[in-house]
Amino acid sequence: MEEVQLFIFENGLTLISEYREIISSDMGDPDIILVNPFRVDMDLGQVINLYKYPESKYTDATQMKVHRDKILTIVKPNEDLIKKYKNEVLH
């Protein structure tokens, strides 16, 4: 499993995912691939649930490309959240 990070986007969306950086020859192309992304739902700062993202009713894809400029910050999740994430990915 690749490194797991928490991605907080400009629009408030929070995803936990493995990731890979990609080098694009064209300006404006996505530069990060999220692998097995899950949306993090929180209430009062506590993680409530993780949901596959995008939802499986829309796609079976397990990877998605994103533009770095849409990400507000990238942080390392705590160990409890990483364990919860790994459990979801493996099931």
Side-chain angles (χ1 to χ4, degrees):
M1 184 172 273
E2 297 174 42
E3 185 177 10
V4 176
Q5 294 288 333
L6 206 58
F7 295 83
I8 301 170
F9 289 83
E10 291 177 336
N11 65 0
L13 175 67
T14 300
L15 297 178
I16 184 170
S17 183
E18 302 163 65
Y19 77 100
R20 288 192 311 266
E21 293 187 49
I22 53 177
I23 298 171
S24 175
S25 59
D26 293 328
M27 273 299 268
D29 281 352
D31 47 7
I32 294 180
I33 297 177
L34 299 183
V35 180
N36 297 316
F38 279 76
R39 179 172 48 93
V40 179
D41 275 359
M42 296 192 305
D43 185 30
L44 300 174
Q46 297 296 314
V47 173
I48 303 299
N49 279 311
L50 300 179
Y51 298 98
K52 184 181 178 305
Y53 189 86
E55 293 180 47
S56 55
K57 67 181 177 181
Y58 300 118
T59 182
D60 293 328
T62 59
Q63 297 184 8
M64 61 185 274
K65 295 179 182 179
V66 298
H67 293 268
R68 180 181 308 274
D69 64 345
K70 301 300 180 199
I71 300 169
L72 185 61
T73 192
I74 302 171
V75 296
K76 182 171 177 59
N78 64 37
E79 288 302 316
D80 289 340
L81 186 53
I82 291 173
K83 286 178 189 175
K84 190 170 191 168
Y85 170 77
K86 288 180 178 179
N87 187 48
E88 290 291 334
V89 170
L90 296 175
H91 286 91

